[in-house]
Amino acid sequence: MLPDWSENRDRFNREIPAFVHYLINVFKIQEVNRHQRFGVIAYHNPDVIEMLQQFEPHLRLLEILDATFFKNDDAILVRESAAEIHQQLCAGSHGVIARQLLSSIHICGLLLGKLAKAQPERFSKSTVKGTARWEIKAPKK
């Protein structure tokens, strides 16, 4: 960069045609970096993604579920309705956080659904006599 702003602008304007020519005629996006929607794939920094996921409500619920239901190695499976899960979490040792996160039984069911999509090997839902029951498997050690 040059010290004078107007010189920088003029230099930029002189170099833009060459840059555009390069992008249109020379530069090629590698196949591995192509994306159907925008032309190139988006880059997601793994550290930033991991940091942001800490705030995802369904992942916070996962932490509370594991701490409540699977604190002993002998706990293998939970089969309960969202209302029963909600009640146990709110009454448990992580009740304050659970009540903040799960303002209603409906929210509990929605977040369990997100967990089922994210981790189908651990979470599944079945309906028995019109009542949805969640099957939650213990985390693998």
Side-chain angles (χ1 to χ4, degrees):
M1 297 292 294
L2 301 171
D4 182 20
W5 186 85
S6 61
E7 287 181 48
N8 279 324
R9 185 192 61 224
D10 293 341
R11 181 178 171 194
F12 178 78
N13 287 336
R14 284 191 310 272
E15 293 179 3
I16 274 292
F19 183 62
V20 170
H21 176 270
Y22 170 77
L23 291 176
I24 293 173
N25 299 306
V26 179
F27 181 76
K28 300 291 181 217
I29 299 170
Q30 297 176 356
E31 192 64 38
V32 69
N33 294 327
R34 291 184 187 187
H35 189 270
Q36 191 174 9
R37 184 170 181 190
F38 296 113
V40 294
I41 59 172
Y43 172 74
H44 301 285
N45 184 305
D47 295 333
V48 173
I49 296 296
E50 183 178 336
M51 186 176 22
L52 289 174
Q53 285 179 340
Q54 294 176 14
F55 300 106
E56 288 289 334
H58 67 286
L59 296 178
R60 291 184 67 208
L61 174 60
L62 177 62
E63 291 176 16
I64 298 169
L65 285 167
D66 288 346
T68 302
F69 292 115
F70 305 112
K71 53 187 165 194
N72 300 326
D73 289 336
D74 58 343
I76 297 173
L77 189 64
V78 174
R79 284 192 184 107
E80 298 185 10
S81 68
E84 294 166 330
I85 292 169
H86 182 269
Q87 181 181 8
Q88 288 186 39
L89 293 177
C90 290
S93 59
H94 297 88
V96 173
I97 298 169
R99 284 187 294 278
Q100 290 173 348
L101 183 63
L102 307 171
S103 58
S104 70
I105 296 166
H106 177 72
I107 299 295
C108 184
L110 287 174
L111 295 179
L112 286 167
K114 283 190 173 189
L115 286 171
K117 285 182 182 176
Q119 298 184 21
E121 68 282 355
R122 283 197 60 199
F123 294 86
S124 62
K125 180 173 101 170
S126 60
T127 305
V128 178
K129 296 182 183 178
T131 302
R133 302 203 54 85
W134 290 94
E135 184 175 286
I136 307 170
K137 297 178 183 172
K140 293 184 179 179
K141 301 274 178 185

